């Protein structure tokens, strides 16, 4: 069984070509290739009026840094950081993991700190009822 989480990741760049280049470099990384590439990992490309992005979502997963598939997915964060720091690209990424416990929420942002990624992905708290009958 184990502890399970929901994980969302969004990457956005002002220049759509940056997203295409990020994906091309990402696809060549050994761990990514080992796990079937960007499509197998679940990256989806999207367009906005002001740029382009990538997103992926994992529901009810074991998200441990020692797992290779997690490491392969998280390779994107290093690329985003490098594209921002070394090339000056307007690119950023946001990671959100929500665990089973009500106070277990982790959020990280990477790349350009001036990009507001809350337009694409935020955490919301909800209330769900399970396993009871109302009479």
């Amino acid at each position: 069984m184990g502890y399970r989480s929901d994980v969302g990741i969004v990457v956005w760049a002002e220049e759509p070509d940056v997203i295409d280049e990020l994906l091309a470099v990402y696809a060549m990384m050994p761990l990514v290739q080992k796990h079937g590439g960007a499509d197998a990992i679940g990256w989806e490309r999207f367009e906005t009026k002001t740029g382009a992005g990538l997103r992926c979502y994992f529901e009810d997963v074991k998200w441990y840094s020692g797992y290779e598939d997690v490491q392969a997915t998280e390779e994107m964060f290093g690329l985003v950081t490098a594209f921002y720091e070394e090339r000056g690209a307007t690119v950023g990424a946001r990671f959100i993991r929500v665990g089973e416990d009500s106070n277990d929420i982790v959020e990280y942002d990477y790349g350009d700190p001036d990009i507001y990624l809350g337009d694409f992905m935020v955490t919301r708290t909800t209330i769900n009822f399970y396993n009871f009958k109302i009479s």
Side-chain angles (χ1 to χ4, degrees):
M1 195 73 181
Y3 190 83
R4 301 230 172 230
S5 300
D6 293 345
V7 174
I9 303 170
V10 66
V11 178
W12 183 85
E14 198 170 73
E15 297 292 329
D17 291 350
V18 170
I19 291 298
D20 297 334
E21 191 176 352
L22 271 171
L23 270 176
V25 173
Y26 180 78
M28 293 186 292
M29 302 184 94
L31 271 179
V32 174
Q33 289 181 349
K34 182 176 180 180
H35 290 278
D39 289 336
I41 289 173
W43 290 104
E44 298 174 340
R45 192 178 190 287
F46 65 91
E47 298 273 338
T48 70
K49 291 180 181 178
T50 57
L54 301 168
R55 66 180 176 204
C56 60
Y57 179 70
F58 306 94
E59 190 172 24
D60 195 35
V61 296
K62 293 182 180 181
W63 197 266
Y64 298 113
S65 61
Y67 287 10
E68 280 192 353
D69 57 338
V70 170
Q71 293 169 3
T73 305
E74 291 181 341
E75 292 276 6
M76 183 61 75
F77 304 139
L79 287 177
V80 166
T81 300
F83 272 56
Y84 168 69
E85 291 177 354
E86 297 170 16
R87 297 179 178 201
T90 305
V91 60
R94 172 173 277 186
F95 167 88
I96 299 176
R97 183 188 57 76
V98 178
E100 293 176 3
D101 296 333
S102 61
N103 63 347
D104 184 16
I105 300 172
V106 176
E107 295 185 34
Y108 295 111
D109 289 329
Y110 301 88
D112 190 336
D114 293 329
I115 295 175
Y116 177 67
L117 294 166
D119 287 340
F120 305 110
M121 184 177 68
V122 296
T123 304
R124 298 275 188 248
T125 304
T126 62
I127 298 172
N128 297 304
F129 294 99
Y130 297 104
N131 299 324
F132 66 92
K133 184 177 178 181
I134 298 176
S135 47

